[in-house]
């Protein structure tokens, strides 16, 4: 009883009884050219130039909850440019820029426990040895880090970090500059894969 409409802004609007009840923004899908959609067992399959997005959704009393999974060349598709979808029994046929792929309709994405590595660490612009614990002077409060999430099949997306028990902050890139406060600072960082799965391997450093 839901209607899904993709827009030129690569957003997906969700309607129920001719009323807009939710919107999936392009920041959550991060895709180009959403052009074909197919519903299979309460899962919305969406084609794009970034592979296939499968939106697992549930609606109750006009409120929609969903989880988004992405499948692309790194998962075995012939190409990331997906142009058409069709389903038959237990399979979904996927037309790509380089031929037809066949996927089980109940396929789920693999979770990647990506480790985060500290490549370089500077305190007040001075290169320091990478350790788990530092004893700093009062004026040593500016931290520069270069970090890496190692996952050879290309499923790494971004990092999340925090200092002490503050809120986790998403971080896209490899270079991070931080201002430390007085007293002990507990720095934590972990990797997130392209389907939003958070690594259980958290890198911790005390300053």
């Amino acid at each position: 009883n839901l209607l899904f409409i993709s827009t030129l802004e690569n957003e997906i609007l969700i309607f129920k009884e001719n009323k807009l009840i939710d919107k999936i923004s392009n920041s959550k899908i991060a895709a180009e050219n959403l052009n074909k959609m197919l519903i299979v067992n309460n899962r919305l399959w969406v084609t794009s130039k970034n592979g296939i997005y499968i939106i697992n959704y549930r609606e109750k009393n006009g409120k929609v909850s969903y989880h988004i999974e992405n499948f692309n060349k790194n998962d075995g598709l012939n190409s990331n440019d997906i142009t058409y979808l069709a389903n038959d029994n237990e399979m979904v046929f996927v037309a790509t820029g380089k031929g037809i792929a066949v996927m089980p309709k109940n396929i789920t994405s693999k979770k990647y426990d990506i480790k985060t590595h500290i490549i370089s660490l500077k305190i007040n612009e001075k290169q320091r040895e990478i350790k788990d614990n530092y004893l700093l002077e009062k004026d040593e409060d500016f931290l520069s880090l270069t970090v890496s999430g190692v996952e050879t099949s290309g499923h790494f997306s971004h990092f999340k970090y925090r200092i002490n028990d503050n809120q986790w902050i998403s971080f896209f890139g490899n270079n991070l500059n931080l201002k430390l406060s007085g007293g002990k600072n507990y720095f934590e960082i972990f990797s997130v894969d392209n389907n939003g799965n958070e690594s259980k391997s958290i890198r911790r450093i005390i300053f």
Side-chain angles (χ1 to χ4, degrees):
N1 61 346
L2 298 180
L3 174 66
F4 298 88
I5 298 176
S6 63
T7 72
L8 293 175
E9 290 76 28
N10 295 317
E11 298 176 329
I12 296 177
L13 308 180
I14 306 174
F15 288 84
K16 181 179 181 181
E17 298 175 353
N18 298 320
K19 179 182 178 182
L20 179 65
I21 61 173
D22 208 337
K23 177 176 73 173
I24 303 175
S25 67
N26 55 13
S27 63
K28 294 181 180 178
I29 304 177
E32 297 179 52
N33 194 21
L34 302 178
N35 52 20
K36 300 291 182 183
M37 294 187 288
L38 176 69
I39 295 177
V40 183
N41 294 347
N42 278 7
R43 305 176 83 204
L44 179 68
W45 293 57
V46 186
T47 69
S48 77
K49 290 186 178 295
N50 305 91
I52 295 172
Y53 288 86
I54 300 178
I55 302 172
N56 304 272
Y57 66 88
R58 176 177 294 180
E59 182 270 333
K60 185 176 182 181
N61 298 326
K63 294 185 178 180
V64 181
S65 59
Y66 56 85
H67 171 68
I68 302 173
E69 299 175 276
N70 173 246
F71 297 87
N72 52 47
K73 285 180 64 176
N74 297 326
D75 301 293
L77 290 177
N78 306 347
S79 167
N80 285 340
D81 187 7
I82 312 300
T83 58
Y84 199 78
L85 297 167
N87 73 301
D88 179 32
N89 295 324
E90 298 300 316
M91 297 296 177
V92 175
F93 297 89
V94 181
T96 79
K98 294 184 178 180
I100 304 295
V102 181
M103 300 172 64
K105 67 180 185 181
N106 60 351
I107 190 171
T108 58
S109 60
K110 179 181 177 181
K111 295 181 179 181
Y112 294 86
D113 191 17
I114 304 173
K115 290 187 177 181
T116 300
H117 299 271
I118 309 296
I119 306 301
S120 173
L121 187 148
K122 294 181 180 180
I123 299 173
N124 287 7
E125 299 299 330
K126 294 182 179 180
Q127 193 72 47
R128 301 288 290 268
E129 177 187 358
I130 298 173
K131 302 188 296 184
D132 294 332
N133 202 318
Y134 295 84
L135 184 62
L136 303 181
E137 301 293 335
K138 287 185 178 181
D139 60 346
E140 293 181 315
D141 57 359
F142 185 74
L143 178 65
S144 298
L145 291 164
T146 300
V147 295
S148 175
V150 179
E151 205 289 300
T152 56
S153 63
H155 292 88
F156 170 80
S157 173
H158 62 281
F159 300 99
K160 283 189 175 182
Y161 76 92
R162 70 178 179 181
I163 296 180
N164 300 325
D165 291 325
N166 294 318
Q167 185 176 355
W168 290 100
I169 299 172
S170 294
F171 165 59
F172 294 82
N174 297 99
N175 299 309
L176 181 63
N177 296 317
L178 297 169
K179 180 78 171 180
L180 301 176
S181 60
K184 280 193 175 183
N185 291 268
Y186 296 85
F187 172 78
E188 297 177 298
I189 187 169
F190 63 83
S191 298
V192 182
D193 72 15
N194 64 323
N195 286 309
N197 298 308
E198 299 178 347
S199 173
K200 296 179 180 178
S201 301
I202 301 176
R203 185 69 167 91
R204 297 178 175 88
I205 304 177
I206 302 174
F207 297 95

